Amino acid sequence: MNAIITPHAGNWEEVRHRLDQNAAFNRMRGTPYYRDAIYEQFSAAEYKRRYDALRAKMREMGLQAAIVPGGPSHWSWGGGMLWLTGHWEWHALACYVLVPLEGEATLVYSMGGTHCEATRREVAAAITDVRGSRGGKYAEVMIERLKELGLERARVGLLEVDPRHQDHMPWNQVETLKKGLPHAEIVMTHGIMHELLSVHSTEELDCVRQAGKLVQAAMEALVERARPGIPEYKLRAAAGAAILEGGGDIDFLIIGSTPMADPAMVFGNPRPSQRVLQHGDIINMELAASYRGYTAQIGSPVCIGQPPVEVSRFWNEIAKPGFELMAATLKPGANIEDIRKAGEFFRENGVQSRPIHAHGIDLVSDGPHIFKEHAHAEPFEQVLRPGMVIMPEPNPITPDGLLGMFVGHTYIITQDGAECVDDFPLDLIVAE
């Protein structure tokens, strides 16, 4: 007869001879597996700062517990789950950190078994209680933990999985929480993580700088690979390999090409295709890389062969000076409206642009969002402060709407100005 494995069983000595049993394998813990794995970690003080900041916000909102998700989508990029644990998720829509106002936090991770053991090693500096979801039963696992903590009647806040699109925990998980905790108050919250991430710590900024090196390496690899006869997707492969080789993760690689003599592209292709590069093409791109969850972005047009006069003029008289005007506004105390006004340069000079001119970065693209027509920001981000990360990314477009040039670099707002996190030249690059 097989032994019954309870939800919290799975200690190594109990399961090591029964690894062919699903229950034993999936609930294992305390194994010697991955004991030699090495992960760069934030300091204990940094993680304490993060949990203290979240709990202060919870007290302000009257929450006894918070469920903090994070997923693999661009608008989440790990979200609060990554911020609190160091784990970036790719197996599930989201994983969740249950944070009580008092007591130990719990990461409910998508997988069990060896996957979960590896994750325990990965997050060891931040959190020690890591539990598998038992095949997607996230809410059931969190109910058990809340009961262990005596929080059956707590006011529990649900943070967004995807704050940009305001998506929360799936309905089935919420329903399970409500049925399993009939006396608890389950409330949806909005914007907590972005507020906590709007201004970065010293350790976080070091990761942004490293991400800047990664996107520069990706740009350099793309330029090196850009030759007639090469399909667009191989530019993506070259840029992606440079990011991975540098120890980072790929956020997005938007790359497209069009003939300079007969253009039909204002922005890079979010889905790089099998189109083969030809002499006389121009490549538009926006590349984003992540280092330990913190992203930097970059983009600058690349020509295959010498550009015609009208393309060079568009760069020298429109794209480059328009970007420089926006970058010059980046300093502490500046209002985001200053960035928006700088973008009026394009219409004043007889051209148009994509609507978006600049945005902030917390873990990934987020507020403030500066458009040609208006600027949108929460009260805490309307004025630039040291530690904020801003991505000016004007994309001027010719009056006929057929040729655009995306130009973007990532900046850290400092005490006396702004620091660009890459050294890629602000030039119209020619790849012969």
Side-chain angles (χ1 to χ4, degrees):
M1 179 181 295
N2 291 336
I4 296 174
I5 305 294
T6 63
H8 304 302
N11 291 329
W12 175 237
E13 292 304 327
E14 298 176 23
V15 304
R16 64 187 300 178
H17 301 295
R18 295 183 288 110
L19 297 179
D20 53 356
Q21 297 177 8
N22 274 335
F25 185 85
N26 285 323
R27 293 170 187 166
M28 67 168 69
R29 62 175 58 238
T31 75
Y33 302 153
Y34 315 115
R35 64 187 179 192
D36 297 326
I38 298 173
Y39 301 99
E40 191 173 359
Q41 304 281 7
F42 291 107
S43 68
E46 172 66 13
Y47 277 121
K48 182 179 185 301
R49 179 191 73 83
R50 297 179 188 187
Y51 279 95
D52 286 351
L54 174 60
R55 285 177 167 132
K57 194 69 179 176
M58 290 165 61
R59 290 187 183 93
E60 178 185 317
M61 301 176 69
L63 302 175
Q64 286 76 52
I67 294 174
V68 186
S73 77
H74 170 70
W75 300 121
S76 170
W77 198 250
M81 182 270 302
L82 181 148
W83 191 64
L84 293 170
T85 69
H87 173 66
W88 187 82
E89 175 59 24
W90 56 273
H91 270 112
L93 174 72
C95 288
Y96 304 88
V97 185
L98 175 62
V99 182
L101 199 55
E102 304 288 343
E104 185 178 10
T106 300
L107 170 61
V108 185
Y109 169 62
S110 57
M111 306 284 281
T114 48
H115 282 75
C116 200
E117 280 292 87
T119 300
R120 290 187 180 103
R121 303 284 188 188
E122 176 194 29
V123 304
I127 196 166
T128 58
D129 186 8
V130 181
R131 307 183 186 190
S133 71
R134 303 203 297 270
K137 296 180 175 62
Y138 296 96
E140 290 185 11
V141 177
M142 286 187 276
I143 289 167
E144 291 167 5
R145 178 59 178 149
L146 286 165
K147 289 181 176 179
E148 289 173 13
L149 292 163
L151 295 175
E152 298 96 326
R153 297 175 178 271
R155 187 167 192 258
V156 181
L158 304 182
L159 279 66
E160 303 103 323
V161 174
D162 179 343
R164 180 72 180 273
H165 292 170
Q166 298 186 357
D167 290 329
H168 280 78
M169 177 186 286
W171 174 85
N172 61 312
Q173 304 290 352
V174 175
E175 285 290 293
T176 299
L177 278 176
K178 289 182 175 180
K179 290 177 182 177
L181 299 167
H183 302 295
E185 181 185 3
I186 310 296
V187 297
M188 289 186 175
T189 69
H190 300 280
I192 291 176
M193 287 313 309
H194 177 53
E195 183 175 357
L196 297 180
L197 270 159
S198 178
V199 174
H200 298 73
S201 71
T202 299
E203 291 186 44
E204 290 173 322
L205 291 175
D206 286 342
C207 290
V208 176
R209 293 184 178 97
Q210 186 61 33
K213 294 178 181 178
L214 294 173
V215 290
Q216 178 174 337
M219 279 293 299
E220 292 167 349
L222 182 150
V223 173
E224 179 66 27
R225 195 76 171 103
R227 298 293 184 272
I230 298 298
E232 290 173 353
Y233 74 84
K234 288 193 177 181
L235 300 180
R236 180 175 182 269
I243 292 168
L244 297 176
E245 184 71 23
D249 291 296
I250 300 165
D251 183 7
F252 59 77
L253 300 174
I254 298 171
I255 304 168
S257 58
T258 193
M260 287 185 279
D262 184 24
M265 183 183 68
V266 299
F267 181 64
N269 191 341
R271 300 180 180 277
S273 76
Q274 296 182 19
R275 181 186 184 276
V276 174
L277 298 179
Q278 303 172 35
H279 186 82
D281 280 350
I282 188 169
I283 304 165
N284 263 322
M285 83 297 294
E286 183 179 11
L287 313 179
S290 169
Y291 188 74
R292 299 173 65 200
Y294 294 84
T295 58
Q297 302 169 16
I298 195 171
S300 195
V302 175
C303 302
I304 307 297
Q306 291 297 324
V309 172
E310 59 271 20
V311 172
S312 293
R313 183 181 297 120
F314 192 74
W315 169 262
N316 289 321
E317 297 180 5
I318 299 295
K320 180 178 178 179
F323 174 85
E324 290 175 327
L325 280 172
M326 287 188 189
T329 68
L330 304 181
K331 55 188 176 182
N335 192 289
I336 60 169
E337 186 67 13
D338 299 334
I339 306 174
R340 191 198 67 78
K341 289 179 179 177
E344 294 175 352
F345 169 85
F346 299 117
R347 279 295 182 184
E348 290 170 354
N349 283 271
V351 302
Q352 53 185 323
S353 66
R354 289 176 72 223
I356 183 72
H357 283 173
H359 61 76
I361 299 178
D362 49 22
L363 289 172
V364 73
S365 300
D366 212 316
H369 292 98
I370 298 97
F371 298 92
K372 183 263 182 186
E373 297 171 305
H374 68 279
H376 174 74
E378 300 296 331
F380 57 81
E381 60 187 359
Q382 291 179 358
V383 174
L384 301 186
R385 293 180 286 163
M388 293 177 71
V389 178
I390 301 292
M391 173 70 176
E393 53 172 41
N395 192 148
I397 300 171
T398 53
D400 61 8
L402 293 177
L403 175 66
M405 288 185 178
F406 179 93
V407 191
H409 296 268
T410 304
Y411 286 81
I412 295 170
I413 305 301
T414 63
Q415 293 294 333
D416 55 3
E419 167 194 347
C420 184
V421 299
D422 71 81
D423 293 319
F424 194 80
L426 189 61
D427 295 321
L428 185 59
I429 303 297
V430 176
E432 296 289 354

